[in-house]
Amino acid sequence: RLPTKTMTFRWHYWTASAEIVRDRPLLGVGPGNFADAYLHRRRPAAEEAVKNPHNAVVHAFTEFGLLGGAAYLAIPVVMLVGMCRPRSPDEDRPGSQPTSELSPRAAVVLGCVAVVAMLVARGLFSDAGADPLLFIFDAVLPGIFLAVGLVPGLLDRDLKAALDVPTGASRIALAAGTAGFLLHSMVDISLWAPATGLVFYVAAGGALAHAGGGRPRVLRRWAIPVAIICMSVVVAVLAIIWRPVYRKAMLYDEAVAAIVGGRPGVAERLLVQAAQADPLDPLAAGDVARFILAQRREDDLRECLVRARRWAVEAHSLDPAAARWRRLAGEIEWRLAELDDDAEARDEALDWMASAVERDPMEMRLRLNYAEKLSEAGRLREATDQLDAVEHINEQLFPESVKRLMPHEWDRIDRLRSRAGQQGLSSVG
């Protein structure tokens, strides 16, 4: 009943997120884990499997818990409150504000450092480093525009003075802009996206630096070595965390080259090394399983399925809340059961699929696949229950939704119901 469909969807995100917070109020689900947790609580009419609740407050509380989320949200709120402080009369007296004009050489050096840092960051931490042409368009050209905009602003004293004279209009504009940004983050992901989040904090810092109130701070002699030590610790920790990720990324690049070169055996070995290089990443383990399945050969099909099952189970152990790894393990186990005609393995595959449905109950296609396997295993009542759930979920979606069942999927449902009816009559007879 909200005025637009997009707001209705957001209401679904937020109400489901409230249940996530209720289940994990202290620690939350952890950074980056919202997507899997949301699927477990998704509403029938909420067709999208979103990775973000489109609300900065909800996002913070779901991933960090109530205490951690409040601590995170306190940072932008304190900045916003601080930048709104009025200037005291003493601060407006001539000579009361210290000047810190940069020399031309210092301005150029500072601008060059900023541009080089941006180029290095884009090359190492984004897809821009994958291709020279992409690096030019995604790093070099933005770096040129950054330099053109940054260096003249650092050099031109009149330009800098005009930003805050005579009424401080620029500070008011920055404060209003950051407040609007924060307000917009109540219905969007802007504060959590690295690029737009950086814009917010740079603008908020600029407004805060010119805000009034407070007392002058004297930098103590011991503060510099303490700051250097703290920064060194932070850099060391980041290096330790980043090293396995970087190693994994390099192995992925080599694996892609091997695939393009028609060397699937080498590619699989490199993907395995990538998963071992970053043993905390379930995606890397899952990628190994999916690649083995894609490259399987009939002459050693069982061996491929066994290897793929091992990595699917490994991905599940690293991310037990995710439905996708349970589904993948179930699909692989089912193929092994068919290959060996093993009833026990078939039941284990169905258990994997049932747990996947439990973690992602609104995924109709998952339920439909599960129903087909239940039907083949002779568990007709359970298969029918899954088909009923599929049709109920489909009815909750908007009529124009692209997620609604397609004609060929209705044909699959009709065949399954017909099979269940025929076998039911046969058993009665």
Side-chain angles (χ1 to χ4, degrees), residues 259-273:
I259 294 173
V260 173
R263 297 173 294 161
V266 176
E268 180 182 338
R269 176 174 55 81
L270 291 169
L271 288 174
V272 169
Q273 292 177 2

Side-chain angles (χ1 to χ4, degrees), residues 326-367:
R326 300 170 188 239
R327 180 178 184 175
L328 181 61
E331 296 283 0
I332 297 172
E333 192 68 45
W334 183 264
R335 296 184 191 183
L336 278 169
E338 289 183 322
L339 197 64
D340 298 337
D341 194 19
D342 187 341
E344 184 176 346
R346 187 176 292 111
D347 289 339
E348 184 175 353
L350 291 174
D351 289 342
W352 278 111
M353 296 295 290
S355 65
V357 169
E358 181 184 359
R359 293 303 308 178
D360 190 5
M362 296 303 135
E363 179 49 62
M364 294 187 296
R365 277 79 187 178
L366 171 59
R367 284 185 178 272

